[in-house]
Amino acid sequence: MRTFSLPLALTARISPVVVLAAAGWALTSGPATTPAAEKESAPQSAGESPSGASTAAASKQYAAAPAPCGSIATATLKSLVPGAKTAGKEIPSTDTSLRRTCSWNALKGYDYRWLDVSFEITESDAAAAKSYKENTAEKSGGGTVPGVGDAGYSVVNLTTEDKQQTREGVVIIQASNALVTVTYNGSDFESKKAPSTDEINKGAIKAAKEAVAALESGQKV
């Protein structure tokens, strides 16, 4: 059997304990989890009905984050992350009603793949739109994803460490007062090359569309 050494960053991601700790930190402290600003309510006029505030609150489309590990179809998971347990692993969250994330990763032969799907529920559509703009502004070089949610953005980047390439795609979707973020990356440890931009981008977008569909249908596991 041929032996090979892995870059430190990828070695850490393959280790389950370090993976979950690193992913949890990144997902709770990175741009994808930027706290959403609360929507200010206008002062109530003398002639305004007291029911105005409750009507505004009721207009919030999503009250809680769906179960993320049930948001992606089994066939899609087998295609995007060969060899991974399709049940996935949910990352601990300080408030599962507002933010939930599931991860899948596997090393099959020399091919490594990693997929994260995250849901964040904000106070209002305006708060979600603000957070979406902030997050996408920090990830330049991408493009829009049409036909899903209220706004969509996709970007793919290539990194090299110890001569090992890794290509990562991030898709961010705003759907009403919710944000859906998908991260998908891969490496080939035999060739030291990364999957093509097209493969990573299409995979991330496919997962994002399924995640948004799960959000809209209120899918539970």
Side-chain angles (χ1 to χ4, degrees):
M1 173 67 71
R2 178 183 174 183
T3 61
F4 58 94
S5 60
L6 306 183
L8 292 177
L10 292 174
T11 301
R13 299 195 87 176
I14 294 173
S15 171
V17 175
V18 179
V19 161
L20 293 179
W25 174 261
L27 289 165
T28 55
S29 63
T33 58
T34 302
E38 294 186 358
K39 183 178 181 181
E40 296 182 359
S41 57
Q44 183 176 325
S45 64
E48 185 179 1
S49 168
S51 64
S54 61
T55 301
S59 67
K60 187 166 83 169
Q61 187 165 350
Y62 302 111
C69 292
S71 64
I72 307 298
T74 298
T76 300
L77 290 172
K78 289 181 177 180
S79 172
L80 297 183
V81 195
K85 294 181 179 180
T86 55
K89 177 67 176 181
E90 185 161 356
I91 306 299
S93 171
T94 55
D95 190 343
T96 55
S97 67
L98 299 179
R99 185 178 297 108
R100 298 181 73 176
T101 300
C102 189
S103 287
W104 298 263
N105 65 88
L107 178 65
K108 187 173 183 180
Y110 292 100
D111 290 326
Y112 175 73
R113 295 292 184 276
W114 175 289
L115 175 68
D116 280 348
V117 174
S118 177
F119 295 96
E120 181 181 356
I121 305 301
T122 70
E123 289 299 317
S124 65
D125 290 15
K130 182 177 184 295
S131 184
Y132 171 85
K133 290 179 181 178
E134 292 173 348
N135 293 335
T136 55
E138 294 179 5
K139 300 180 183 297
S140 61
T144 60
V145 179
V148 55
D150 297 312
Y153 181 80
S154 175
V155 63
V156 178
N157 288 307
L158 177 69
T159 59
T160 302
E161 183 179 345
D162 297 333
K163 299 182 180 180
Q164 173 65 61
Q165 294 182 344
T166 299
R167 184 166 271 114
E168 179 171 280
V170 178
V171 176
I172 304 172
I173 305 293
Q174 181 213 342
S176 185
N177 64 304
L179 289 175
V180 178
T181 303
V182 168
T183 303
Y184 180 50
N185 66 45
S187 300
D188 185 322
F189 293 139
E190 184 173 34
S191 68
K192 291 191 174 294
K193 301 295 184 181
S196 69
T197 298
D198 190 56
E199 177 183 343
I200 292 297
N201 190 48
K202 286 182 177 179
I205 291 174
K206 180 176 178 59
K209 287 182 176 180
E210 291 189 10
V212 172
L215 172 72
E216 293 173 343
S217 64
Q219 181 174 329
K220 302 288 184 182
V221 294

